[in-house]
Structures are given as C-alpha cells and as structure tokens.
C-alpha cells in the first residue's frame, strides 16, 4: 500500500503537478513549471495533448453514464482535481454514480481529499496502480464499489507510466478478472510514432520521471486483451467519439490533426458476458 504519510517534495517534479501546469492549474511548484516550460517551449503542442486527453476522458465518462447504466467508476491515476472531474461528469448525468479516485502522488491525495471527496459518493485512495489487489480490497473501495455490479475502470494517461517489466497488461487483466460482465475499461495512452516530436517528448518524460513507455496502437490494443474494443477502436484522442454527449470536443474528424494531437490515443472496451 502507498505510504499515506509520504510527504510532498517540492524539489522534485511530479507527473501529476506537471500535467496540472500544462492544463493551466495552480497546484504545482517551480520545479514542475520548469519541466512544463521545457514542454511548452520545445514541444509546443504538449498543451494540446493534455487537453485532448482530458476531453476524451470526459466524453468517455459521459458516454458510460448516459448509455450503459454503469454507476460506479474507479479512476486509476486520477491526477490533481481539475475543471471537470470524473465524479462531476458522472453525477451530472446520473447523480447516484460513485467514484473511487486512486493516485500515488501525495499532492493529489491532499488536494483530492479536499476537492474530490465532496459528497458521500466519492473517495480518494492512496494506492499504486501496479498493486491492483491493494486497490480492490481497500476499505474505501469496498465501501463505494459493489463488485457484483458492472464497474467502469478508467486508465486515463496512466499506463504509459508503467514499464514493460511491470506488466501493464497484467494490471488490466487483474481488473478484467475481478469485475462482472458488462464492465467498461477506458484507456488513454501516449502513442509511439515515427516522428521527431514523439521521440523528443518521450525522451523528456523518461529523463524527468525515470520511467515510462510509449506504445503503438497495437500494443495499446493488446493491453485490452480479452475485452471487446468498442467503436471507433484505439484512435487519436480527439477522434474518439468527438460528438459524444458530454464534454468539450477539442478536435474532430472534420480536420487534419496536428502531430501533437496524434500523440495520445484513447479507446473504450467492454467485458462481454
Ligand atoms: C498524466 S496524469 C493523468 C491524470 C488523469 N488520469 C487524466 O487523464 O487527466 C497521470 C497520473 O497518474 C499518476 N500515477 C502515475 N503512476 C502511478 C502509479 N503507479 N499508481 C498510481 N498513480 C500513478 C500520477 O501521479 C498522475 O496523477
């Protein structure tokens, strides 16, 4: 289990805080802004990636809440509270929706507890996505999630922080095997590509955080092995159901996407009966 007492270290950049900075948030330190500025200066489209990812997540939650009847969400690697969080989107459409947020970052836990646990249908759990059994059996998870009913398991921009040797496919498989048929899996993930921007952005992330692996669409698809990948498949995030009922669009099928907007892929899968 993640050490609940581990404290915020303002001298080292954090994934959650750099991402918050790119999204225009205020929960970050100079060290995070320094890295964020490298992205903004050398990789100017990286802000678009963050927004495209967030917008796809919001559309996916809206789709699940409005079209599937699923009323419980586990948001793995949830990040710092931002404009429209999973529980706000889900509860807007279906107020009875319950959301468990999970993150290792101590800042997410402090701010998350203040801003995300705003009603008795949300919890913020300090745990590591690489230890799914810990998350599954955490008392806060068990309080909100009924594992006899379908669950939406959200892996938004987190699995590319898990190295190959840590077996990200096994993490998804664990959840696949521990939720009932009719459950949904959302994944967004940095895509490897044959262009200098991708190589540079991946290099900066790996150097900064000492980990991470970008994957091809085929590799991302294979993380969802045994699940039915729903239309339109694993696609650049702005092309994932751009006309879905909820949320900002940030790109559509109408125009050519920039290389940046293609750097992150999204997809939704279902566990069949
Ligand atoms: C890029 S942010 C994505 C935030 C949010 N899911 C979204 O898509 O907008 C990645 C988040 O994953 C968290 N994270 C990275 N590795 C993790 C791990 N092993 N266990 C739990 N959280 C992790 C980071 O702390 C960060 O908050």
């Amino acid at each position: 289990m993640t050490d609940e007492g581990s404290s915020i270290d303002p001298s080292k950049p954090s994934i959650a805080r750099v991402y918050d900075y790119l999204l225009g948030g205020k929960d970050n330190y100079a060290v995070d802004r320094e890295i964020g500025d490298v992205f903004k200066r050398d990789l100017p489209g990286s802000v678009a990636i963050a927004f495209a990812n967030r917008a796809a997540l919001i559309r996916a939650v809206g789709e699940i809440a409005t079209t599937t009847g699923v009323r419980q969400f586990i948001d793995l690697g949830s990040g710092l509270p931002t404009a429209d969080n999973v529980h706000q989107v889900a509860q807007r459409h279906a107020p009875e929706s319950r959301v468990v947020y999970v993150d290792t970052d101590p800042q997410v836990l402090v701010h998350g507890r203040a801003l995300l646990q705003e009603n008795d249908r949300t919890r913020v759990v300090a745990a590591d996505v690489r230890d799914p059994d810990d998350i599954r059996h955490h008392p806060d998870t068990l309080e909100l999630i009924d594992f006899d009913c379908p669950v939406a398991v959200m892996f938004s921009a987190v699995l590319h922080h898990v190295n190959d040797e840590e077996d990200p496919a096994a993490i998804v498989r664990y959840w696949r095997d521990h939720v009932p048929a009719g459950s949904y899996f959302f994944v967004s993930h940095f895509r490897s590509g044959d262009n200098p921007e991708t190589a540079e952005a991946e290099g900066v992330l790996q150097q900064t955080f000492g980990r991470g692996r970008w994957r091809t669409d085929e590799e991302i698809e294979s993380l969802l092995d045994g699940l039915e990948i729903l239309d339109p498949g694993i696609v650049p995030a702005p092309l994932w159901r751009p006309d879905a009922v909820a949320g900002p669009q940030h790109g559509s099928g109408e125009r050519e996407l920039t290389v940046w907007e293609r750097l992150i892929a999204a997809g939704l899968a279902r566990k069949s009966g």
Side-chain angles (χ1 to χ4, degrees), residues 2 14-17 19-20 23 50 53-55 57 75-80 82 86 102-106 108 127-131 135 154-162 166 171 186 188 190 211 264:
T2 297
S14 111
I15 296 168
R17 297 191 315 245
Y19 182 70
D20 173 70
L23 284 174
N53 174 63
R54 199 69 213 172
L57 169 65
D75 185 8
L76 298 163
S78 51
L80 281 156
T82 179
V86 169
V102 178
D103 210 290
T104 36
D105 191 299
V108 172
D128 194 309
V129 72
R130 294 167 296 177
D131 189 354
I135 299 168
M154 315 302 284
F155 290 99
S156 182
V158 68
L159 289 175
H160 50 234
H161 299 302
V162 177
E166 296 167 327
I171 298 173
F186 174 76
S188 67
F190 277 130
R211 58 167 41 258
I264 191 133

Side-chain angles (χ1 to χ4, degrees), residues 14-238:
S14 111
I15 296 168
R17 297 191 315 245
V18 172
Y19 182 70
D20 173 70
Y21 177 60
L22 293 176
L23 284 174
K26 303 258 176 289
D27 293 326
N28 46 70
Y29 297 111
V31 68
D32 308 305
R33 294 191 285 276
E34 217 170 279
I35 297 297
D37 286 337
V38 170
F39 276 99
K40 285 184 180 181
R41 189 189 59 230
D42 298 346
L43 307 159
S46 46
V47 175
I49 309 173
F51 278 98
N53 174 63
R54 199 69 213 172
L57 169 65
I58 291 170
R59 295 198 300 278
V61 173
E63 287 278 272
I64 294 167
T66 54
T67 66
T68 73
V70 171
R71 295 291 177 261
Q72 35 184 15
F73 296 76
I74 302 178
D75 185 8
L76 298 163
S78 51
L80 281 156
T82 179
D84 224 357
N85 302 290
V86 169
H87 77 282
Q88 286 153 335
V89 180
Q91 292 175 0
R92 191 180 304 142
H93 297 290
E96 69 277 28
S97 298
R98 300 179 304 281
V99 179
V100 173
Y101 292 104
V102 178
D103 210 290
T104 36
D105 191 299
Q107 182 118 350
V108 172
L109 303 170
V110 171
H111 288 243
R113 293 219 164 105
L115 294 170
L116 300 174
Q117 274 185 189
E118 64 180 359
N119 57 49
D120 60 4
R121 281 151 287 133
T122 63
R123 289 287 177 279
V124 178
V125 168
D128 194 309
V129 72
R130 294 167 296 177
D131 189 354
D133 203 48
D134 177 37
I135 299 168
R136 161 84 175 73
H137 292 100
H138 193 286
D140 288 348
T141 307
L142 295 174
E143 196 188 330
L144 285 202
I145 306 292
D146 173 0
F147 284 99
D148 290 332
C149 294
V151 184
V153 186
M154 315 302 284
F155 290 99
S156 182
V158 68
L159 289 175
H160 50 234
H161 299 302
V162 177
N163 294 336
D164 283 344
E165 64 276 16
E166 296 167 327
D167 203 352
I171 298 173
V172 181
R173 203 159 53 237
Y174 174 94
W175 287 106
R176 187 196 72 195
D177 293 344
H178 289 83
V179 293
S183 292
Y184 286 81
F185 291 73
F186 174 76
V187 172
S188 67
H189 196 298
F190 277 130
R191 302 167 83 210
S192 342
D194 252 348
N195 57 67
E197 290 87 349
T198 305
E200 193 174 352
E202 185 178 12
V204 174
L205 267 194
Q206 281 171 343
Q207 261 171 32
T208 307
F209 301 115
R211 58 167 41 258
R213 163 87 155 78
W214 293 24
R215 297 185 170 92
T216 63
D217 290 352
E218 292 70 33
E219 287 172 322
I220 299 167
E221 255 184 69
S222 73
L223 297 177
L224 297 168
D225 202 33
L227 296 163
E228 178 195 353
I229 299 179
L230 304 174
D231 281 346
I234 304 293
V235 294

